[in-house]
Amino acid sequence: MALSREQLAMRVAQELKDGYYVNLGIGIPTLVSNYVPEGIEVMLQSENGLLGMGPFPLESEIDADLINAGKQTVTAIKGASFFSSADSFAMIRGGHVDLTVLGAFEVDVHGNIASYMIPGKLIKGMGGAMDLVAGADNIIVTMTHASKHGESKLLPQCTLPLTGAACIKRVLTDLAFIEIKDGKFHLLERAPGVSVEEIQKLTAGELVVPDNVPEMDL
Amino acid sequence: MALSREQLAMRVAQELKDGYYVNLGIGIPTLVSNYVPEGIEVMLQSENGLLGMGPFPLESEIDADLINAGKQTVTAIKGASFFSSADSFAMIRGGHVDLTVLGAFEVDVHGNIASYMIPGKLIKGMGGAMDLVAGADNIIVTMTHASKHGESKLLPQCTLPLTGAACIKRVLTDLAFIEIKDGKFHLLERAPGVSVEEIQKLTAGELVVPDNVPEMDL
Amino acid sequence: MSGFNKVVDSYADAMHGLQDGMTVIAGGFGLCGNAENLIVEIKRLGVKDLTVVSNNCGVTDFGLGILLESKQIKKMISSYVGENQTFMDQLLADELEVDLTPQGTLAEKMRAGGAGIPGFYTATGVGTEVSKGKEVRQFNGRDYILEEAITGDFAIVKAWKGDHYGNLVYRQTAQNFNPMAATAGKITVAEVEELVEPGELDPNFIHTPGIYVDRVIQGEFEKRIEFRTVTEEA
Amino acid sequence: MSGFNKVVDSYADAMHGLQDGMTVIAGGFGLCGNAENLIVEIKRLGVKDLTVVSNNCGVTDFGLGILLESKQIKKMISSYVGENQTFMDQLLADELEVDLTPQGTLAEKMRAGGAGIPGFYTATGVGTEVSKGKEVRQFNGRDYILEEAITGDFAIVKAWKGDHYGNLVYRQTAQNFNPMAATAGKITVAEVEELVEPGELDPNFIHTPGIYVDRVIQGEFEKRIEFRTVTEEA
């Protein structure tokens, strides 16, 4: 069975380590904060200028001056700090964030990522995504393995305008957890009940499959 | 009579305008703050990270955390702000300071200034002087017109290592107020009782002397 | 009155001097920390062909979006404009120029503009459309692109508290692009929620020193919320 | 204990890992805002051939000067070293290398190091010895030189208050180079006057967010004054 949005978030959350500073993109990445493992503390960075982001506010706590990078109302935890966008991206660009999780339209075997523009259709802008992928060493991309029409999003070469070149090393899809290395996709784990064959079929870029591909433990 | 240190400061102070942000170098420039004209308010910037520097503290007010760029204990006035050295030089480099006053060893007809090093003798470093002369549009250099041995400090070409190139437009010495323009010194004013001939004699670089050279009004 | 009293009493005075074709740098992120009333004044002035530098462009009827509706903007320099349908329509109709700039690069370009740094290198955008026409240079074996500073004829910022010297502090994430914008305008106008007496702001914790600010006005703010997300009460 | 509790109890723990030949970036201006006891610990460790990046180098018997006296410093990157006779002596005796860097450029190089900006252009030093060997480039008809970022194996900073997350605030002009130094160390150690409970520092006014700080220790400071200048009581 393909992973649900929640399961994707759960699997990513297993990569968290105690003391990590983490930037979570909009969408599925945001859900990761709901699954931080017991005994582990992480601090969430929101690129508009907040370190130590908390959950959504209670209705009574809503504050127009306290939003996340997705422009949603949020809260700040004890130990948080607010700063300018220049300082925030200094943090990101300087490689001080331990883990960045973000979505994508396409990823390829060279570690390229396309996530911000579909020419002629979607011209919203890259926001902070280009800075995030260029600044982070440790990135996990989360996305569905294929489009609704069954077209692979794991490609030999991205077809859409790039958000970043040669910067992605790990991709978690609803079907598989994949490492990108030496110009190839390497299958690390498969979603529970999903066969290697299914993954292979929906992966357009070269996929290296080891003898034993464990199921994810969610 | 050659101007005293205090008179130099008084003459510089006449160039202050209400609302000016001013950076005063160590030595004579520091004294300028004692002669701010009636009805005029200026704010002093100290490049170590203070805007709104006040006078030296009373003995009872001395605070090791509150010093100026000369490492002297100072105070801060109402409306002051403290900031990092990076922010301080952003202010300076970005041209936000209205007037900069500093000393020099030599100035030449090209607007070059040498003020920080005498090879083999004095290797203290440039501190913030290079940033100050590069960042400011409006600079007044104050110095004695000649060395103790009677050698002119106003030269056709600086002989000491430069602090800045082509950045000085006005020089106030103990003998004269001089503008630098079109590769020449232009005599604007002379110290009370000092003759044009005396100034001419002690100026090594080409000096343009207008028909009428007024005495400074101190 | 001292040269350091920068308080103006009317929005007309606050935006005096703004002309057709000028560049305006605006603080704010989404609808958070916007100089709401200064934007309304720009609309009232009716100046045209503006280049506006701002991370976003508001929504159709609020924030910078209202200047799109009145077609006063010739060019936007922004990182994300996805929340504004008018924007998309004008862009597709070629009525609007847009320079999409990564958010961190945009923030740094504004900071550089204020700090007298004409250009800097960043890895952001290397190998993407953003790098087109830009110098690529290696440092320690990695490619970086040269990005240039941005300055504006005017900067409009929104602060929480300010004094008559122009010292400003921002509140929470309403800080965002405001501090850099404040440094990058030839004329910087700050709209504040609360005008306080000099000395009330702790000098250790001033976000924007008054040297960057030319005019201060106290405003009333709607502070509209773009996406109201809540945790249900237990 | 949480991964965000960065408090260490001993100076040995605070400077653990410092080795011969490493680069140490130090906050402080003159004797103001120095990590006094971290410097003493470096002396105790006896590590040699250090490159030290700091605006000044203390005085003979205080601040970084004590590391000169023990000949632990191979190279200094500073803007002004005029207050230290030992420095001058070692320099003239060729026992010490020095890279004189303009103060603002030094501050910006540290900031750039922490901010992932490998290089930036500045007008400071154009046409002087500082520009030797550096690329000169024109922007808007003016010459600028390319300056590169500085990073260190360690950064040592001194703050007024800090919490166990590593959030720091500085007091008055003791801020100086500390915030940039804090961002530029692979391992950043902060010595604070007062360790406070998380939440005590106002999140709107944190000078150094904890993300930059790896270790925090509470110290006792002499806070020596270099030039005691006073106004006579009336």
Side-chain angles (χ1 to χ4, degrees):
Chain A
M1 274 274 288
L3 299 184
S4 66
R5 288 164 56 88
E6 281 69 24
Q7 286 174 314
L8 280 162
M10 286 166 66
R11 180 61 194 87
V12 171
Q14 293 174 7
E15 301 298 311
L16 298 173
K17 294 207 174 86
D18 194 30
Y20 259 22
Y21 294 95
V22 181
N23 184 292
L24 301 175
I26 298 168
I28 292 164
T30 301
L31 302 175
V32 172
S33 61
N34 297 333
Y35 300 101
V36 179
E38 194 79 23
I40 279 186
E41 217 185 322
V42 300
M43 265 189 131
L44 302 180
Q45 206 261 12
S46 187
E47 64 263 29
N48 51 321
L50 165 57
L51 185 66
M53 181 166 60
F56 294 142
L58 298 174
E59 185 71 38
S60 58
E61 296 172 326
I62 283 183
D63 188 329
D65 289 338
L66 184 36
I67 64 171
N68 66 14
K71 286 132 191 165
Q72 299 170 311
T73 47
V74 292
T75 55
I77 65 168
K78 195 178 278 190
S81 51
F82 299 102
F83 33 80
S84 75
S85 302
D87 286 346
S88 184
F89 282 94
M91 224 171 250
I92 290 166
R93 203 191 300 105
H96 303 280
V97 174
D98 297 299
L99 175 64
T100 295
V101 185
L102 79 171
F105 300 147
E106 299 173 346
V107 167
D108 72 25
V109 295
H110 310 293
N112 297 325
I113 174 173
S115 67
Y116 83 103
M117 191 197 259
I118 301 173
K121 238 171 109 180
L122 179 82
I123 313 169
K124 293 189 171 196
M126 67 293 282
M130 283 194 182
D131 309 279
L132 281 160
V133 298
D137 258 349
N138 191 14
I139 303 171
I140 299 178
V141 168
T142 61
M143 60 180 192
T144 55
H145 206 95
S147 73
K148 283 175 205 156
H149 314 295
E151 287 156 341
S152 178
K153 296 181 175 181
L154 292 141
L155 304 174
Q157 186 75 49
C158 286
T159 63
L160 295 169
L162 296 188
T163 308
C167 53
I168 305 301
K169 293 179 198 131
R170 294 194 290 173
V171 184
L172 177 70
T173 73
D174 54 344
L175 303 184
F177 197 19
I178 283 171
E179 190 183 2
I180 305 177
K181 208 172 55 182
D182 307 325
K184 298 184 182 96
F185 294 123
H186 296 258
L187 185 56
L188 299 180
E189 299 175 15
R190 55 200 169 86
V194 173
S195 70
V196 167
E197 290 66 33
E198 282 175 86
I199 294 165
Q200 184 76 73
K201 211 180 67 184
L202 288 169
T203 306
E206 182 174 352
L207 182 70
V208 177
V209 182
D211 290 345
N212 180 28
V213 182
E215 278 192 0
M216 289 174 204
D217 186 14
L218 295 168
Chain B
M1 274 270 292
L3 298 185
S4 66
R5 289 163 55 89
E6 282 69 25
Q7 287 174 313
L8 280 161
M10 286 166 66
R11 179 61 193 87
V12 171
Q14 293 175 7
E15 300 299 310
L16 299 173
K17 293 207 176 88
D18 194 30
Y20 259 23
Y21 294 96
V22 181
N23 184 292
L24 300 175
I26 298 168
I28 293 165
T30 301
L31 301 175
V32 172
S33 60
N34 297 333
Y35 301 99
V36 178
E38 195 80 22
I40 279 187
E41 216 186 321
V42 300
M43 264 190 132
L44 302 180
Q45 206 262 11
S46 186
E47 64 264 30
N48 52 319
L50 165 56
L51 185 68
M53 181 165 61
F56 294 143
L58 298 174
E59 184 71 38
S60 58
E61 296 172 327
I62 282 183
D63 189 329
D65 289 338
L66 184 37
I67 64 172
N68 66 14
K71 286 130 193 168
Q72 300 170 310
T73 47
V74 291
T75 54
I77 64 168
K78 196 178 277 189
S81 51
F82 298 103
F83 33 81
S84 75
S85 302
D87 286 346
S88 183
F89 282 94
M91 224 171 251
I92 290 166
R93 204 190 299 104
H96 303 280
V97 174
D98 297 300
L99 175 65
T100 294
V101 185
L102 80 170
F105 300 146
E106 299 173 347
V107 167
D108 73 23
V109 295
H110 310 293
N112 297 324
I113 173 173
S115 66
Y116 83 103
M117 190 197 260
I118 301 175
K121 238 170 110 179
L122 180 82
I123 314 169
K124 293 187 170 195
M126 67 293 282
M130 282 194 183
D131 309 279
L132 281 161
V133 298
D137 256 349
N138 190 13
I139 302 172
I140 299 178
V141 169
T142 62
M143 60 179 193
T144 55
H145 207 96
S147 73
K148 284 175 205 155
H149 313 295
E151 287 156 342
S152 178
K153 296 180 175 180
L154 292 141
L155 305 173
Q157 185 76 50
C158 286
T159 63
L160 296 169
L162 296 187
T163 307
C167 53
I168 305 302
K169 292 179 201 132
R170 293 196 288 172
V171 185
L172 177 71
T173 73
D174 53 344
L175 304 184
F177 197 20
I178 282 170
E179 190 183 2
I180 305 176
K181 208 173 53 181
D182 307 325
K184 298 183 182 92
F185 294 124
H186 297 257
L187 186 55
L188 299 180
E189 300 174 16
R190 56 199 169 86
V194 172
S195 71
V196 167
E197 291 66 34
E198 283 175 85
I199 295 166
Q200 183 78 74
K201 209 180 70 185
L202 287 169
T203 305
E206 182 175 352
L207 183 70
V208 177
V209 182
D211 290 343
N212 179 31
V213 182
E215 277 192 0
M216 288 174 205
D217 187 14
L218 294 168
Chain C
M1 206 35 106
S2 143
F4 293 106
N5 189 341
K6 300 173 181 178
V7 176
V8 295
D9 296 321
S10 73
Y11 283 96
D13 287 345
M15 294 308 297
H16 178 75
L18 183 67
Q19 289 168 12
D20 289 359
M22 280 189 168
T23 295
V24 177
I25 302 188
F29 175 83
L31 304 186
C32 183
N34 279 251
E36 300 178 11
N37 303 293
L38 296 178
I39 295 169
V40 170
E41 174 62 16
I42 296 175
K43 178 167 174 133
R44 195 191 66 79
L45 284 170
V47 288
K48 293 209 180 325
D49 293 327
L50 298 174
T51 294
V52 176
V53 187
S54 168
N55 190 60
N56 314 95
C57 196
V59 291
T60 305
D61 64 337
F62 190 77
L64 291 168
I66 65 171
L67 304 180
L68 276 182
E69 204 218 351
S70 53
K71 303 201 172 176
Q72 293 176 258
I73 302 178
K74 183 186 69 179
K75 180 178 179 180
M76 281 294 307
I77 301 177
S78 300
S79 90
Y80 190 81
V81 292
E83 255 79 71
N84 192 319
Q85 190 54 46
T86 314
F87 192 101
M88 214 66 73
D89 295 344
Q90 292 190 9
L91 192 61
L92 295 172
D94 262 342
E95 294 173 353
L96 182 67
E97 228 181 297
V98 66
D99 184 349
L100 287 177
T101 303
Q103 193 172 338
T105 296
L106 184 62
E108 192 68 15
K109 280 161 91 83
M110 288 187 195
R111 179 191 179 271
I117 303 278
F120 60 90
Y121 289 92
T122 177
T124 301
V126 168
T128 75
E129 299 205 347
V130 164
S131 69
K132 279 188 185 154
K134 290 174 185 160
E135 182 195 304
V136 179
R137 190 187 188 107
Q138 283 214 342
F139 294 87
N140 303 314
R142 187 174 181 193
D143 284 345
Y144 294 84
I145 54 175
L146 176 61
E147 292 281 5
E148 296 192 20
I150 291 181
T151 54
D153 299 295
F154 271 78
I156 56 172
V157 302
K158 189 266 170 178
W160 179 22
K161 298 178 187 177
D163 63 25
H164 80 230
Y165 287 95
N167 292 312
L168 305 176
V169 298
Y170 307 95
R171 188 167 170 273
Q172 304 183 139
T173 57
Q175 181 170 168
N176 57 62
F177 281 82
N178 283 298
M180 291 77 71
T183 69
K186 274 197 208 82
I187 295 175
T188 292
V189 189
E191 192 177 9
V192 303
E193 287 184 50
E194 195 185 334
L195 195 60
V196 303
E197 290 299 313
E200 271 190 50
L201 301 176
D202 184 336
N204 284 301
F205 303 112
I206 304 285
H207 292 126
T208 295
I211 195 170
Y212 292 114
V213 177
D214 299 284
R215 303 171 192 167
V216 179
I217 189 164
Q218 184 167 314
E220 295 288 328
F221 297 86
E222 176 185 338
K223 290 212 210 177
R224 194 184 289 191
I225 291 173
E226 205 158 347
F227 299 112
R228 202 178 183 89
T229 45
V230 296
T231 298
E232 296 302 324
E233 312 259 352
Chain D
M1 206 34 106
S2 142
F4 292 106
N5 188 342
K6 299 173 181 179
V7 176
V8 295
D9 297 322
S10 73
Y11 283 96
D13 287 345
M15 293 309 297
H16 179 74
L18 182 67
Q19 288 169 13
D20 289 358
M22 280 188 168
T23 295
V24 178
I25 301 188
F29 175 83
L31 304 185
C32 182
N34 279 252
E36 301 179 10
N37 304 293
L38 296 178
I39 295 169
V40 170
E41 175 63 17
I42 295 175
K43 179 169 174 130
R44 195 192 66 79
L45 285 170
V47 288
K48 292 211 182 323
D49 294 326
L50 298 174
T51 294
V52 176
V53 186
S54 169
N55 190 60
N56 315 94
C57 196
V59 291
T60 305
D61 65 336
F62 190 76
L64 292 168
I66 66 172
L67 304 181
L68 276 182
E69 203 218 352
S70 53
K71 303 200 172 175
Q72 292 176 260
I73 302 178
K74 185 185 65 177
K75 180 179 180 180
M76 281 294 307
I77 301 176
S78 299
S79 90
Y80 189 81
V81 291
E83 257 78 71
N84 193 319
Q85 190 54 47
T86 313
F87 192 101
M88 215 66 71
D89 296 342
Q90 291 189 9
L91 192 62
L92 295 172
D94 261 343
E95 293 174 355
L96 182 66
E97 228 180 298
V98 65
D99 185 350
L100 288 178
T101 304
Q103 192 172 338
T105 296
L106 184 63
E108 192 68 15
K109 280 161 90 82
M110 288 187 194
R111 180 192 178 271
I117 303 278
F120 59 90
Y121 289 92
T122 177
T124 301
V126 169
T128 76
E129 298 205 349
V130 165
S131 69
K132 280 188 183 154
K134 290 173 185 160
E135 181 195 304
V136 179
R137 188 187 189 106
Q138 284 213 343
F139 293 87
N140 303 314
R142 187 175 180 190
D143 284 346
Y144 294 84
I145 55 175
L146 176 62
E147 292 281 5
E148 295 193 18
I150 291 181
T151 56
D153 299 295
F154 271 77
I156 57 173
V157 302
K158 188 265 170 179
W160 179 22
K161 298 179 187 176
D163 63 25
H164 81 228
Y165 286 95
N167 293 312
L168 305 177
V169 298
Y170 308 96
R171 188 167 170 274
Q172 302 183 114
T173 58
Q175 181 172 167
N176 56 63
F177 281 81
N178 284 298
M180 292 76 72
T183 68
K186 276 197 205 82
I187 296 175
T188 291
V189 188
E191 193 176 8
V192 304
E193 287 184 51
E194 195 186 334
L195 195 60
V196 303
E197 289 300 312
E200 272 191 50
L201 301 177
D202 184 335
N204 284 301
F205 303 112
I206 305 285
H207 291 127
T208 296
I211 194 170
Y212 292 113
V213 177
D214 299 284
R215 303 171 193 169
V216 179
I217 189 163
Q218 184 168 313
E220 295 287 329
F221 297 85
E222 176 184 338
K223 291 211 207 177
R224 194 184 288 191
I225 291 173
E226 206 158 345
F227 299 111
R228 201 176 184 89
T229 45
V230 297
T231 298
E232 296 303 323
E233 311 260 352

